Amino acid sequence: MQCFCGMSHDLGRRGFLGALMAAAVGAQAPAPQSAGPADPALIEDLVAANRILYDQGVVDGFGHVSTRHDKDPNRYLMSRSMAPALVTAEDILEYDLESTPIDQGGRAVYLERFIHGEIYKLRPDVRAIVHSHSPYVIPYANVKTQLRPMNHIAGFLGGGVPVFEIRDTAGPASDMLIRNPALGHALAVTLGPRPVALMRGHGSVAAAQSVRHVVFRAVYTEVNARMESEALRLGDPTFLNDEEAAAAMKTNDALVDRPWDLWKRRAMGK
Amino acid sequence: MQCFCGMSHDLGRRGFLGALMAAAVGAQAPAPQSAGPADPALIEDLVAANRILYDQGVVDGFGHVSTRHDKDPNRYLMSRSMAPALVTAEDILEYDLESTPIDQGGRAVYLERFIHGEIYKLRPDVRAIVHSHSPYVIPYANVKTQLRPMNHIAGFLGGGVPVFEIRDTAGPASDMLIRNPALGHALAVTLGPRPVALMRGHGSVAAAQSVRHVVFRAVYTEVNARMESEALRLGDPTFLNDEEAAAAMKTNDALVDRPWDLWKRRAMGK
Amino acid sequence: MQCFCGMSHDLGRRGFLGALMAAAVGAQAPAPQSAGPADPALIEDLVAANRILYDQGVVDGFGHVSTRHDKDPNRYLMSRSMAPALVTAEDILEYDLESTPIDQGGRAVYLERFIHGEIYKLRPDVRAIVHSHSPYVIPYANVKTQLRPMNHIAGFLGGGVPVFEIRDTAGPASDMLIRNPALGHALAVTLGPRPVALMRGHGSVAAAQSVRHVVFRAVYTEVNARMESEALRLGDPTFLNDEEAAAAMKTNDALVDRPWDLWKRRAMGK
Amino acid sequence: MQCFCGMSHDLGRRGFLGALMAAAVGAQAPAPQSAGPADPALIEDLVAANRILYDQGVVDGFGHVSTRHDKDPNRYLMSRSMAPALVTAEDILEYDLESTPIDQGGRAVYLERFIHGEIYKLRPDVRAIVHSHSPYVIPYANVKTQLRPMNHIAGFLGGGVPVFEIRDTAGPASDMLIRNPALGHALAVTLGPRPVALMRGHGSVAAAQSVRHVVFRAVYTEVNARMESEALRLGDPTFLNDEEAAAAMKTNDALVDRPWDLWKRRAMGK
């Protein structure tokens, strides 16, 4: 398996083998144990992220955001299946990296939770993930034109944005959903070490070191897509080069609290 | 007459013959009988649908949504003539499939109610219909470019979206409105077994198995149109193929409550 | 002078000669007499029109709407110089057709009030006028592409939309404003018998038989412009032909209260 | 050094030499003295400007607006580092023209404050500056197509809009930010005597004689960009010529309070 974080670890490997086994034999794993209560501040950020992503036009009734559990890197937190704009702390479930809910309690779970579990397996550096169908991004998932950074805010797009073609894994007649570990793994491999990948005929996924960072990236991927589409109709844009993009990303990664404070205030209605 | 539902029934036939006779001789049919009070939950959904379609930008001051009566498939329910955003339960009227109001009580009715009655006649599988002028869809009604599914959410567009040309029935100088049963029937024939048809120089119509499904389709037809227009300006998009579209539609048909809960909360202000 | 109303009258002629004399000699006309209090319902519509045009994105801080006085066709009513969204009944002034305020009382008046006075002179059929810089319409004022009706709602655009070139009257170095009767007259002549004219490098003007009709036209000129721009990028649109447009306009002229009720409710916050 | 104001003065010169020295030797200048409390009305305008620029879509979580101090042309006022929409009077800091805060009190300052100090040095006529990433403007910063006045409201764009290429000063691998006096100076030189300059891969800057004027220009640069992009897709637009633009700017400079009153009411929630 691939690991993109450049660190020595066994986290992704165990998770991935488990997923392979589960997928191969359809075995029901024994009920996983909870990592215990997560930091309330992390839950608060995750709830706010759900609301912000809706308020900023990244998700609508669909889409989801998760964070790795602060007490255990083999657990992640994500809402039960519902519209992100309506999520409260009570709706947050804990999952293991096979994307099995720890204490489902009769609640519906997202069909595509494997997006999250499989990326967390391959990317120990990633602590938060957004999956969305944001409307100005989807066109780039379906054409050959590359999504590229129009300004420094989108520096995280600098290294290129891969496109996941589900037909390569699921064949030509799927319902397009990442509905099992194998598809989640294939998407995670396409994402590789990048912060953003597009999904043909579907949407996109963003990954980052924290909830706030991943919200920043999801919002500005959408903003950048709209600006790039406008620019391409005017002429031949000069994008940030890879060095500029990398330097800008480093600078902006230290500034994510500034828009977060605004977005949270708006989205939480206070 | 055509029937697109693949089921044995006589509902459409009676209705259509009645319409033909009414159109041919201008006869005033005897006042139809009410099917009795509809399920309050159905009325609640219909009122919410009116509000949601406005809130989501599908209708403005014009457009309408109807549902088949739960007690009698030969009756449908729709607001009196007014802006959808202002509709309350008190504004809902009952119509027979000739689109004659059962108890008009001096209230104005939509000039284009025949869209609803005539589709209900030909499509026993259809229990809810939206007619709108949603702004990103109309361009596709006037050009040869096909509306096609950009992502799985719009899988219902997979089989193709027919375009109704009113000149074929009403001649070259109509006011574009579906103002009689014959025009309604012609539109219903163009729609055929599809969920969506465009109307040249006018708007579109969506049909589905429930109020919630038809709202889903009307909203995402508009969303898809905007995304497709963006994509076509960037390059040559890969759309969902027919198999992907059909599979995605099946999946999404089970998920319409998720955006509905959000849309209803927004539109009803609670 | 031209008259486009097809009726015998001397209203426009007196007004225009007066304007010519005032423009030629810079004479200060004697203070005109008031026609007395206008119908409160007319004032209410005019105030609502100001708010609606802002709420619907037709005007921003600039733009204005007027109505002919119900007691005297030689008087019109319009706000003092201010943002339309903030207008109340107390801000409405009465003007004669030379666009001289009857009782200015120290209040600032719109520099371009001559748009209104001069159109009222030439168009006895017109009882309300909107001038705006609505953003999707302005591009059509600056290019050769014609604004044409995309659907029946914009049937009023059917006969063609003339473009006023201020350079023909004011020369190549004006500030673009209709700041005197001669420019207002030239614009009115360009408008001719039409409901809408574009103003190159500036905006547009709409005229109609009532406040509600002119608001309808101003709103849907903007809506149509955006839809047409989208359609032109997709292909070669089939527009309404002139007969369809005329028939649709006649139908819609009877339906303007439907969107008005909605728009007023939104704009007046109740 | 350049001075673009056509007046005799030594303000810019001192400031620029000071900046050069500070940049060259990294010296810490002695703590500058405050010019004393600014006019409360000026502070009120500056706070409102922050809110308005957000409400009008010119800034999001990023961007800033400053004004020269009314008591001392060598001082300017600007918020601490935070989202403009959340700024209150308590967040306003005083800076000298080296962009050193007078009484920082532990608060974070904008990395790009040098945009403001360096423009104030070179442009004694300028009393207010906006820096933003407004989304329809950025495409013009990255392509060769010129931003030009579509209507009289944007007359201030008439003389041409220069584009700042940071690579010319910072080399090919910067993080794109104006993070020191030398970059601020280079941007100020590119701006020259103009009201607006674009910044490749970044955003834009607007300058004017007052807070209200600069907000007007920042808002209408964005509005004009969107209209121009639409027009360029329709055909070959006739823009205002330089004489029309200059005359229109003069007229509009006297009218900025009209939209300001509206924007302030909206943005301040009263």
Side-chain angles (χ1 to χ4, degrees):
Chain A
M1 62 154 288
Q2 297 89 337
C3 173
F4 303 103
C5 66
M7 294 166 17
S8 152
H9 63 88
D10 69 347
L11 161 69
R13 200 167 297 133
R14 277 194 292 119
F16 180 51
L17 289 178
L20 270 189
M21 287 177 59
V25 304
Q28 187 69 31
Q33 297 292 311
S34 169
D39 180 353
L42 183 64
I43 299 288
E44 185 180 336
D45 271 15
L46 184 58
V47 170
N50 274 278
R51 308 291 187 98
I52 288 168
L53 290 168
Y54 174 70
D55 192 53
Q56 295 294 318
V58 173
V59 301
D60 55 4
F62 297 102
H64 16 90
V65 50
S66 71
T67 182
R68 211 186 277 269
H69 198 299
D70 60 296
K71 303 267 186 343
D72 183 349
N74 289 304
R75 295 287 180 274
Y76 69 92
L77 305 165
M78 185 165 67
S79 166
R80 66 179 174 93
S81 176
M82 64 184 298
L86 306 180
V87 168
T88 66
E90 285 66 44
D91 300 307
I92 304 296
L93 298 180
E94 181 183 348
Y95 297 85
D96 69 7
L97 296 194
E98 303 313 311
S99 297
T100 304
I102 305 299
D103 180 18
Q104 188 167 352
R107 289 170 288 188
V109 293
Y110 291 126
L111 292 175
E112 299 196 288
R113 60 197 181 278
F114 307 99
I115 293 172
H116 302 262
E118 299 304 317
I119 292 174
Y120 288 127
K121 284 183 197 170
L122 287 201
R123 290 280 299 275
D125 61 310
V126 165
R127 300 196 65 83
I129 295 166
V130 168
H131 167 59
S132 75
H133 313 148
S134 76
Y136 286 93
V137 171
I138 286 180
Y140 289 87
N142 293 9
V143 300
K144 289 197 164 23
T145 307
Q146 292 282 310
L147 197 55
R148 299 176 65 187
M150 286 288 294
N151 78 342
H152 60 302
I153 299 292
F156 57 87
L157 297 175
V161 181
V163 180
F164 176 70
E165 173 51 85
I166 195 169
R167 288 177 193 162
D168 296 341
T169 308
S174 79
D175 71 354
M176 310 301 289
L177 296 193
I178 306 298
R179 51 167 63 252
N180 60 48
L183 285 166
H185 176 68
L187 172 60
V189 169
T190 297
L191 177 64
R194 303 293 183 203
V196 177
L198 307 183
M199 302 158 76
R200 196 273 309 164
H202 188 151
S204 61
V205 64
Q209 61 268 50
S210 81
V211 170
R212 297 181 185 200
H213 285 85
V214 85
V215 167
F216 183 98
R217 289 175 184 181
V219 170
Y220 282 112
T221 300
E222 175 75 358
V223 169
N224 193 82
R226 193 173 57 178
M227 295 196 304
E228 180 174 343
S229 296
E230 288 289 328
L232 287 166
R233 298 197 274 264
L234 292 174
D236 184 25
T238 302
F239 297 99
L240 268 64
N241 63 35
D242 287 355
E243 292 74 25
E244 289 171 334
M249 180 171 101
K250 191 176 164 194
T251 295
N252 290 322
D253 275 353
L255 296 174
V256 297
D257 281 351
R258 201 193 304 173
W260 174 269
D261 289 345
L262 170 65
W263 294 336
K264 186 178 175 186
R265 185 94 65 107
R266 272 184 56 101
M268 303 307 284
K270 27 183 165 178
Chain B
M1 60 155 287
Q2 296 89 335
C3 174
F4 304 102
C5 67
M7 294 167 18
S8 153
H9 64 89
D10 70 346
L11 161 68
R13 200 167 298 131
R14 278 194 291 118
F16 180 51
L17 289 177
L20 270 189
M21 287 177 59
V25 303
Q28 187 69 31
Q33 297 293 310
S34 169
D39 181 354
L42 183 64
I43 300 288
E44 184 179 336
D45 271 14
L46 184 58
V47 170
N50 274 278
R51 307 293 186 96
I52 289 169
L53 290 168
Y54 173 70
D55 192 53
Q56 295 295 317
V58 173
V59 302
D60 56 4
F62 297 102
H64 16 90
V65 50
S66 72
T67 182
R68 211 185 277 268
H69 197 300
D70 61 295
K71 304 266 186 345
D72 183 350
N74 289 302
R75 296 286 180 275
Y76 70 91
L77 305 165
M78 185 166 65
S79 165
R80 67 180 174 90
S81 175
M82 64 184 297
L86 306 180
V87 168
T88 66
E90 286 65 44
D91 300 307
I92 304 296
L93 298 179
E94 181 184 349
Y95 297 84
D96 69 6
L97 296 193
E98 302 315 310
S99 296
T100 304
I102 305 299
D103 181 18
Q104 187 166 353
R107 290 170 288 188
V109 293
Y110 290 126
L111 292 176
E112 299 196 288
R113 59 197 181 278
F114 307 100
I115 293 172
H116 302 263
E118 299 303 317
I119 292 174
Y120 286 128
K121 283 184 198 171
L122 286 200
R123 290 280 300 275
D125 61 310
V126 165
R127 299 196 64 83
I129 296 166
V130 168
H131 168 58
S132 76
H133 313 149
S134 76
Y136 286 93
V137 171
I138 286 180
Y140 289 87
N142 293 9
V143 300
K144 288 196 167 19
T145 307
Q146 292 283 311
L147 197 55
R148 299 176 65 187
M150 286 288 294
N151 77 342
H152 60 302
I153 299 291
F156 58 86
L157 297 176
V161 182
V163 180
F164 175 69
E165 173 51 85
I166 196 169
R167 287 177 194 163
D168 296 340
T169 308
S174 79
D175 72 354
M176 310 301 289
L177 296 193
I178 306 298
R179 51 166 62 253
N180 60 49
L183 286 166
H185 176 68
L187 172 60
V189 169
T190 296
L191 176 64
R194 302 292 183 203
V196 177
L198 307 183
M199 303 158 75
R200 197 272 310 164
H202 187 149
S204 61
V205 64
Q209 61 268 49
S210 81
V211 170
R212 297 180 185 201
H213 285 85
V214 83
V215 167
F216 183 97
R217 290 175 183 181
V219 170
Y220 283 112
T221 300
E222 175 75 359
V223 169
N224 193 82
R226 192 174 59 179
M227 295 196 304
E228 180 174 344
S229 296
E230 288 289 327
L232 287 166
R233 300 197 274 264
L234 293 174
D236 184 24
T238 302
F239 297 101
L240 267 65
N241 64 35
D242 287 355
E243 292 73 26
E244 288 171 334
M249 180 171 102
K250 191 176 165 193
T251 296
N252 290 321
D253 275 354
L255 296 174
V256 297
D257 281 350
R258 200 192 305 172
W260 174 270
D261 289 345
L262 170 65
W263 294 337
K264 185 178 175 187
R265 185 93 66 107
R266 273 184 57 102
M268 304 307 285
K270 27 185 166 177
Chain C
M1 62 155 287
Q2 296 89 334
C3 174
F4 303 103
C5 66
M7 294 166 20
S8 152
H9 63 88
D10 69 346
L11 164 67
R13 200 168 296 129
R14 277 194 293 116
F16 180 51
L17 288 177
L20 271 190
M21 287 178 59
V25 304
Q28 187 68 29
Q33 297 292 311
S34 170
D39 181 351
L42 184 63
I43 299 289
E44 185 179 336
D45 270 14
L46 184 58
V47 170
N50 274 279
R51 308 291 187 98
I52 289 168
L53 290 168
Y54 173 69
D55 192 53
Q56 294 295 317
V58 173
V59 301
D60 56 4
F62 298 102
H64 16 88
V65 49
S66 71
T67 182
R68 211 185 277 270
H69 197 299
D70 60 296
K71 303 266 185 345
D72 184 349
N74 289 303
R75 296 286 181 276
Y76 69 90
L77 305 165
M78 185 165 65
S79 165
R80 67 179 175 92
S81 175
M82 65 185 296
L86 306 179
V87 167
T88 66
E90 286 66 44
D91 300 307
I92 304 297
L93 299 180
E94 182 184 347
Y95 297 84
D96 70 6
L97 296 195
E98 302 315 311
S99 297
T100 303
I102 305 300
D103 180 18
Q104 187 167 353
R107 289 170 289 188
V109 292
Y110 289 126
L111 292 176
E112 300 196 287
R113 59 197 181 277
F114 307 100
I115 293 172
H116 302 264
E118 298 304 316
I119 292 175
Y120 287 128
K121 283 184 197 169
L122 286 200
R123 291 280 300 275
D125 62 309
V126 165
R127 300 196 65 84
I129 296 166
V130 168
H131 167 58
S132 75
H133 313 150
S134 76
Y136 285 93
V137 171
I138 286 180
Y140 289 87
N142 293 11
V143 300
K144 288 197 166 22
T145 307
Q146 292 282 312
L147 198 55
R148 299 177 66 188
M150 286 289 293
N151 78 342
H152 59 302
I153 300 290
F156 58 86
L157 297 176
V161 181
V163 180
F164 176 69
E165 173 51 86
I166 196 171
R167 287 177 193 163
D168 296 340
T169 308
S174 79
D175 71 354
M176 311 300 289
L177 295 193
I178 306 298
R179 49 167 64 253
N180 60 49
L183 285 166
H185 176 70
L187 172 60
V189 169
T190 296
L191 176 65
R194 303 293 182 200
V196 177
L198 307 183
M199 303 159 74
R200 197 274 307 164
H202 188 148
S204 61
V205 65
Q209 61 269 49
S210 81
V211 170
R212 297 181 185 201
H213 284 86
V214 83
V215 167
F216 183 98
R217 290 175 184 181
V219 170
Y220 282 112
T221 300
E222 176 75 358
V223 169
N224 193 82
R226 192 174 58 178
M227 294 196 304
E228 180 174 345
S229 296
E230 288 290 327
L232 288 166
R233 299 198 274 266
L234 292 174
D236 184 26
T238 302
F239 297 101
L240 269 63
N241 64 35
D242 287 356
E243 291 73 25
E244 289 171 333
M249 180 171 102
K250 191 176 165 196
T251 295
N252 290 322
D253 275 353
L255 296 173
V256 297
D257 281 350
R258 202 193 304 172
W260 174 269
D261 289 345
L262 170 65
W263 294 337
K264 185 178 176 187
R265 186 93 66 108
R266 273 183 57 102
M268 305 307 284
K270 30 185 164 176
Chain D
M1 61 152 289
Q2 297 90 334
C3 174
F4 303 103
C5 66
M7 294 167 18
S8 153
H9 63 89
D10 69 348
L11 163 68
R13 199 168 297 130
R14 278 194 291 119
F16 180 50
L17 289 178
L20 271 190
M21 287 177 59
V25 304
Q28 187 68 29
Q33 298 292 310
S34 170
D39 181 352
L42 183 63
I43 300 288
E44 185 179 335
D45 271 14
L46 184 58
V47 170
N50 275 278
R51 307 292 187 98
I52 289 169
L53 290 168
Y54 174 70
D55 192 52
Q56 295 295 317
V58 173
V59 301
D60 55 5
F62 297 102
H64 16 89
V65 50
S66 72
T67 181
R68 212 185 276 270
H69 198 298
D70 61 295
K71 304 267 183 347
D72 183 349
N74 289 304
R75 295 286 180 276
Y76 69 90
L77 306 165
M78 186 165 66
S79 165
R80 67 181 174 92
S81 175
M82 65 185 296
L86 306 180
V87 167
T88 66
E90 286 66 44
D91 300 307
I92 304 296
L93 298 180
E94 182 183 348
Y95 296 85
D96 69 6
L97 296 194
E98 303 314 311
S99 296
T100 303
I102 305 300
D103 181 17
Q104 188 167 351
R107 290 171 287 189
V109 292
Y110 290 126
L111 292 175
E112 299 196 288
R113 60 196 181 279
F114 307 100
I115 293 172
H116 301 263
E118 299 304 317
I119 292 174
Y120 287 128
K121 283 184 196 169
L122 287 201
R123 290 281 300 274
D125 61 310
V126 165
R127 300 196 65 83
I129 296 167
V130 168
H131 168 59
S132 76
H133 313 149
S134 75
Y136 286 93
V137 171
I138 286 181
Y140 289 87
N142 293 10
V143 300
K144 289 196 164 23
T145 307
Q146 293 282 311
L147 198 55
R148 299 177 65 187
M150 286 288 293
N151 78 342
H152 59 301
I153 299 291
F156 59 85
L157 297 175
V161 181
V163 179
F164 176 70
E165 173 51 84
I166 196 170
R167 288 177 193 162
D168 296 341
T169 308
S174 79
D175 71 354
M176 311 300 290
L177 296 193
I178 307 297
R179 50 167 64 252
N180 61 49
L183 285 166
H185 176 69
L187 172 59
V189 169
T190 296
L191 177 64
R194 303 293 183 201
V196 177
L198 307 183
M199 303 159 75
R200 197 274 308 163
H202 187 150
S204 61
V205 64
Q209 61 268 49
S210 81
V211 170
R212 296 181 186 201
H213 284 85
V214 84
V215 167
F216 182 98
R217 289 175 184 181
V219 170
Y220 282 112
T221 300
E222 175 74 0
V223 169
N224 193 82
R226 192 174 57 178
M227 295 196 304
E228 181 174 344
S229 296
E230 288 289 328
L232 288 166
R233 298 197 275 265
L234 293 174
D236 184 25
T238 302
F239 297 100
L240 268 63
N241 64 35
D242 288 356
E243 292 73 26
E244 290 171 333
M249 180 171 102
K250 192 177 164 194
T251 296
N252 290 322
D253 275 354
L255 296 173
V256 297
D257 281 351
R258 202 193 304 173
W260 175 269
D261 289 345
L262 170 66
W263 293 337
K264 185 178 176 187
R265 185 93 66 108
R266 272 183 56 100
M268 305 307 284
K270 29 185 166 176

